Amino acid sequence: MPSSDPSPVLVATPSTPLEPGENALASLDVDLDASERFASSEIVLTDRRLLARDTAGGWSAWPISPALTLQHADQGGVGQLSLHDDSARLAVWRYTLGHDPDALRLLALFERQRRRLAAGDAEPEDEAEAEETDFGVESAVPPSTWVLLRLGRFAKPYRWQLALGFVLTLAATAASLVAPYLTIPLMDEVLIPYQNGKQIDTVLVWKLLAGLLGAALVAWALGWLRTWLLALVSERIGADLRTATFDHLLRLSLDYFGSKRTGDLMSRIGSESDRICVFLSLHALDFATDVLMIVMTATILFSINPSLALVTLLPLPFIAWMIHLVRDRLRTGFEKIDRVWGEVTSVLADTIPGIRVVKAFAQEQREAERFRRANRANLEVNDKLNKTWSLFTPTVSLLTEIGLLVVWAFGIWLVSRNQITVGVLTAFIAYIGRFYGRLDSMSRIVSVTQKAAAGAKRIFDILDHVSNVPEPAQPVKIERMQGGLSLQGLGFRYGSRAVIRGVDLEIRPGEMIGLVGHSGSGKSTLVNLICRFYDVTDGAIKVDGVDLRRFGVADYRRHIGLVLQEPFLFFGTVAENIAYGKPGATRQEIVAAARAAHAHEFILRLPHGYDSLVGERGQGLSGGERQRISIARALLIDPRILILDEATSSVDTETEKEIQKALDNLVQGRTTIAIAHRLSTLRRADRLVVMDRGRIVEVGTHDELLAREGAYWRLYEAQLRQVDESGVDHGPLPAPVPAAHPAGMV
């Protein structure tokens, strides 16, 4: 959907104008026209050009060059891509933000392809090399096997146990190699002489058999001990890895979670760490054993007969070449499988918590189809990888069988020329069986290793992410917070979209401020900045004269109470939910907070009172009951700064009155910032702050703002008309009542 700006280089036919050998890398469905009305068009990125289909079905194209740039922006729920050269804008496309991930992915691939062409490399990129991240797309470097070495920092606390495990592995491997060596005297000094008429030496036979039994018992004991020891260590490494990843995840800022799916994060911390744990406990041990077995067996073979040993090693270069050939395909394939499996998990994480909505709108079939599509994609990726793996494994087995036949042929020839004995050949065959068996085992471990490498990369993607809300190097200790706030030249952007612009506001300790404005005016973003869920882009927020960023994040947030529009309760008892911000609270403190929140009466009516279990996300309680528990939770920590974000917007009038009584207790003596669409809920506010498009447009009391007949007056009049039309009255807007400022809980 090109704009009216300069025309594109060529106009093509209605069918997609791909040239011979040209490969499509990404596409974007554009669902708005230039007037932001719904219409269908499309953008396609190839390895040579950017193609665009307009609403009439015609195609336009621009060859990719270093002078061509693609820019992204979003405003008011509409995303935009614009194409520019050195002198002008060539085209612009607009779409709803549901298509933004595809747009960001196309943008990243466009930039990468432009850089490749600028560098003289016209090779097409694999479209799977772009992966969604925090702000859209990150370059997805295929996971290297070397990423597993980064697990070393988690293994460091267990280095002595690992060293002991290695010694046990070495000893167990050596013990298992004793048996084939003892077959040489058993054949040459016992069995073959007996066939030639010589009497069997019973003592020698018993010694050899005792040696075989002893070697087997020693190998079993050492193998059991090393397996048990390394399994314990690997489980602890896996547990430490999960804990470190979850701890780091909790320290990341909210913008990271805004672009990640819950199911994908659960998959990374759960299944990926389990996969690494299994690799460390089983397959890494097998790999070490295989390497030791191959090295020690090769040493023994060369000591027995160098020429026969060289013949034994003939298949080794071919197997190594095959492993190298298939490793990269497996590595990339397993990363794709991880991403697709994250999609499957995300469907479950979306649907199961929202099952009530699914059933209410009779969308079971739709969600089942979503899961089938994700599951089908998972199946297709696995089938593609299994095709490679199914060819690789039998080929390795075939090479080892051919190698064994060559050794038999060469060994029989040496026996016929009396260069080796039958016992030596028998021992060789026994050793070769183990040698080739270990080669085959090592080839199979390649698959498991690449799975673990892919999982480790996805976990380290979390661990390597740096929070956008960093801890200060030398945090200022909060001795006694008064709660005064100073917002100075405040500005904030989500990506390229400015949400807060030039906000200046002084809030006195203990003052209650009401934030009002249309949806999208920046109210919630402003309180998010005050809570330091995000850091400001411009300006500063000062608390009692100290820049907010100089406080420790957790230390500062302990002084903030937050009551949300949709209160979140955890699975557990009512008492545990009230005491969430103060786990060591006594039952008396919990009850006092519940009384102040007007929650004590309904809690006592529950089957087990304060010990009644609350379902996941507060199932089993009404919206008003959940809200009063969240108010009690805020009361218990006795915050100096209180944030009320639409605390009564989703309840009925009677419940609102109960919640309002609880809020009246909560706000006393605290600096309070309250967001409300119902202007009647701000009757206790000392001042009202009116926001529009990220700016403060008016500040004053209710009466002052009405007298100005500005933005607040228009909001007020609009709500009065809604009340008249609906017949529902939420109460008058009296003049603010001065708030008392006692310290502590009311």
Side-chain angles (χ1 to χ4, degrees):
M1 185 182 60
S3 71
S4 58
D5 294 302
S7 301
V9 175
L10 85 97
V11 177
T13 62
S15 60
T16 308
L18 289 182
E19 298 174 345
E22 187 176 17
N23 296 312
L25 302 180
S27 66
L28 169 66
D29 291 328
V30 179
D31 56 356
L32 298 176
D33 62 15
S35 302
E36 297 187 7
R37 293 189 297 265
F38 284 104
S40 177
S41 57
E42 185 180 9
I43 308 173
V44 176
L45 174 68
T46 75
D47 52 354
R48 304 174 189 173
R49 299 177 296 165
L50 185 70
L51 308 173
R53 176 175 59 81
D54 59 27
T55 54
W59 285 89
S60 307
W62 297 265
I64 299 174
S65 69
L68 208 62
T69 60
L70 194 60
Q71 298 179 8
H72 171 269
D74 64 88
Q75 177 69 38
V78 175
Q80 176 177 297
L81 285 178
S82 55
L83 186 67
H84 302 257
D85 63 11
D86 291 336
S87 58
R89 185 176 71 174
L90 304 178
V92 60
W93 301 271
R94 295 186 177 92
Y95 52 87
T96 57
L97 287 181
H99 297 285
D100 211 38
D102 291 336
L104 291 169
R105 185 171 182 276
L106 184 143
L107 178 65
L109 288 171
F110 176 87
E111 288 300 319
R112 190 177 299 118
Q113 193 65 14
R114 189 169 68 91
R115 289 194 299 269
R116 289 172 70 93
L117 291 173
D121 180 7
E123 287 296 319
E125 299 251 357
D126 183 355
E127 63 173 316
E129 289 182 5
E131 179 183 348
E132 289 184 22
T133 97
D134 328 348
F135 295 104
V137 191
E138 69 181 8
S139 66
V141 180
S144 168
T145 310
W146 297 107
V147 73
L148 292 172
L149 295 180
R150 296 187 62 185
L151 297 172
R153 69 183 176 101
F154 295 97
K156 190 175 181 181
Y158 310 101
R159 56 187 178 276
W160 296 115
Q161 293 93 323
L162 289 171
L164 178 58
F166 178 78
V167 172
L168 291 173
T169 300
L170 186 64
T173 304
S176 66
L177 292 174
V178 171
Y181 200 85
L182 293 180
T183 59
I184 297 177
L186 194 60
M187 293 290 295
D188 292 342
E189 299 178 27
V190 177
L191 296 178
I192 294 177
Y194 175 73
Q195 285 185 331
N196 295 330
K198 187 176 179 181
Q199 189 69 26
I200 290 179
D201 186 346
T202 307
V203 175
L204 178 60
V205 169
W206 280 111
K207 285 182 179 180
L208 293 174
L209 292 178
L212 289 170
L213 178 62
L217 290 174
V218 170
W220 170 82
L222 293 174
W224 169 80
L225 186 58
R226 63 99 191 254
T227 303
W228 175 77
L229 177 64
L230 294 179
L232 289 181
V233 171
S234 65
E235 288 293 339
R236 281 152 181 77
I237 292 174
D240 292 346
L241 181 63
R242 282 190 292 271
T243 301
T245 306
F246 187 66
D247 286 349
H248 185 76
L249 194 65
L250 291 177
R251 289 194 294 270
L252 294 178
S253 56
L254 286 184
D255 56 9
Y256 180 83
F257 297 92
S259 59
K260 296 295 182 184
R261 301 190 69 174
T262 303
D264 180 63
L265 294 176
M266 289 170 61
S267 174
R268 295 192 193 200
I269 297 177
S271 60
E272 303 296 1
S273 60
D274 283 344
R275 181 184 294 175
I276 292 171
C277 188
V278 169
F279 169 76
L280 293 174
S281 62
L282 298 177
H283 303 294
L285 178 62
D286 290 341
F287 180 78
T289 304
D290 292 341
V291 171
L292 287 174
M293 181 70 79
I294 288 172
V295 171
M296 295 173 72
T297 303
T299 303
I300 293 172
L301 291 176
F302 274 100
S303 68
I304 296 174
N305 190 291
S307 58
L308 194 55
L310 284 174
V311 173
T312 303
L313 299 179
L314 279 178
L316 195 58
F318 297 100
I319 294 174
W321 175 75
M322 285 195 64
I323 290 174
H324 173 74
L325 187 68
V326 86
R327 182 186 58 189
D328 290 338
R329 295 185 183 181
L330 292 176
R331 187 172 55 201
T332 305
F334 284 127
E335 191 188 15
K336 290 180 181 178
I337 287 174
D338 288 340
R339 289 202 300 265
V340 174
W341 182 248
E343 287 296 318
V344 175
T345 312
S346 293
V347 173
L348 295 174
D350 289 344
T351 305
I352 294 174
I355 191 66
R356 178 175 295 182
V357 177
V358 173
K359 290 185 174 296
F361 289 91
Q363 293 299 309
E364 293 91 342
Q365 187 60 37
R366 176 186 175 186
E367 295 302 327
E369 181 58 33
R370 275 184 68 204
F371 185 82
R372 274 194 292 271
R373 284 199 303 269
N375 204 24
R376 193 181 306 121
N378 178 60
L379 187 63
E380 289 171 358
V381 174
N382 275 279
D383 285 345
K384 186 176 180 181
L385 188 65
N386 288 333
K387 187 185 297 183
T388 301
W389 184 245
S390 61
L391 177 64
F392 171 71
T393 305
T395 304
V396 172
S397 298
L398 176 63
L399 288 174
T400 57
E401 292 295 331
I402 292 173
L404 187 60
L405 290 175
V406 171
V407 171
W408 266 111
F410 189 64
I412 291 172
W413 182 77
L414 290 177
V415 170
S416 68
R417 297 175 64 88
N418 294 321
Q419 294 186 15
I420 61 172
T421 64
V422 174
V424 170
L425 179 59
T426 304
F428 244 89
I429 297 302
Y431 278 122
I432 287 169
R434 301 187 180 211
F435 183 83
Y436 285 153
R438 292 300 179 175
L439 276 180
D440 187 56
S441 174
M442 282 186 67
S443 69
R444 296 174 191 275
I445 287 175
V446 171
S447 168
V448 181
T449 303
Q450 298 311 316
K451 283 184 181 179
K457 177 183 179 293
R458 282 164 57 79
I459 287 179
F460 281 112
D461 281 345
I462 296 176
L463 291 173
D464 292 340
H465 190 88
V466 179
S467 174
N468 291 332
V469 181
E471 290 281 353
Q474 295 180 327
V476 174
K477 183 71 175 175
I478 302 176
E479 299 294 342
R480 172 67 181 172
M481 180 178 287
Q482 300 299 319
L485 290 169
S486 176
L487 282 57
Q488 302 174 353
L490 213 60
F492 179 71
R493 292 177 175 271
Y494 280 121
S496 61
R497 180 163 60 102
V499 182
I500 301 293
R501 306 176 182 86
V503 170
D504 291 285
L505 183 65
E506 297 290 332
I507 303 175
R508 298 182 296 275
E511 185 179 16
M512 182 176 180
I513 294 294
L515 281 181
V516 298
H518 293 291
S519 295
S521 59
K523 305 184 298 297
S524 293
T525 301
L526 187 61
V527 298
N528 284 336
L529 293 173
I530 293 173
C531 293
R532 212 189 168 201
F533 293 147
Y534 306 97
D535 267 345
V536 297
T537 308
D538 303 301
I541 299 175
K542 293 186 177 181
V543 180
D544 297 339
V546 180
D547 193 308
L548 180 61
R549 291 166 288 193
R550 296 184 60 193
F551 296 129
V553 176
D555 191 25
Y556 169 68
R557 288 182 185 155
R558 289 191 187 98
H559 295 81
I560 292 181
L562 188 61
V563 180
L564 301 172
Q565 177 180 357
E566 292 293 335
F568 188 97
L569 300 185
F570 296 90
F571 185 86
T573 66
V574 172
E576 289 169 345
N577 272 281
I578 293 175
Y580 184 77
K582 188 179 179 182
T586 65
R587 180 55 62 96
Q588 289 77 12
E589 291 175 318
I590 293 171
V591 172
R595 285 183 183 276
H598 289 258
H600 181 67
E601 290 75 15
F602 84 77
I603 292 174
L604 291 183
R605 290 195 297 269
L606 296 174
H608 302 287
Y610 284 86
D611 295 319
S612 298
L613 279 176
V614 175
E616 188 176 5
R617 304 194 180 195
Q619 295 295 324
L621 297 176
S622 69
E625 289 170 344
R626 291 197 298 269
Q627 190 63 281
R628 278 176 278 175
I629 288 178
S630 74
I631 292 171
R633 183 166 59 193
L635 272 165
L636 186 60
I637 65 172
D638 190 20
R640 304 312 309 152
I641 299 174
L642 178 65
I643 307 293
L644 305 177
D645 191 353
E646 304 284 0
T648 63
S649 65
S650 58
V651 296
D652 58 80
T653 306
E654 290 302 317
T655 304
E656 180 184 355
K657 291 178 180 177
E658 289 296 318
I659 294 175
Q660 195 62 54
K661 292 176 185 176
L663 291 177
D664 289 345
N665 287 336
L666 181 59
V667 302
Q668 292 186 40
R670 298 178 173 86
T671 304
T672 303
I673 301 173
I675 298 176
H677 283 297
R678 294 180 184 174
L679 303 182
S680 60
T681 61
L682 298 177
R683 58 181 176 269
R684 289 189 60 84
D686 298 307
R687 285 186 295 162
L688 299 177
V689 175
V690 186
M691 296 192 67
D692 185 38
R693 298 184 181 181
R695 301 180 185 275
I696 294 177
V697 293
E698 288 182 333
V699 179
T701 65
H702 167 69
D703 292 335
E704 291 171 351
L705 296 179
L706 284 183
R708 294 179 192 174
E709 295 190 1
Y712 180 77
W713 178 81
R714 289 191 292 273
L715 286 172
Y716 181 76
E717 289 294 315
Q719 287 205 2
L720 282 182
R721 286 194 297 271
Q722 289 175 0
V723 169
D724 292 340
E725 292 170 2
S726 64
V728 178
D729 186 3
H730 295 296
L733 284 164
V737 178
H741 299 160
M745 185 188 304
V746 179

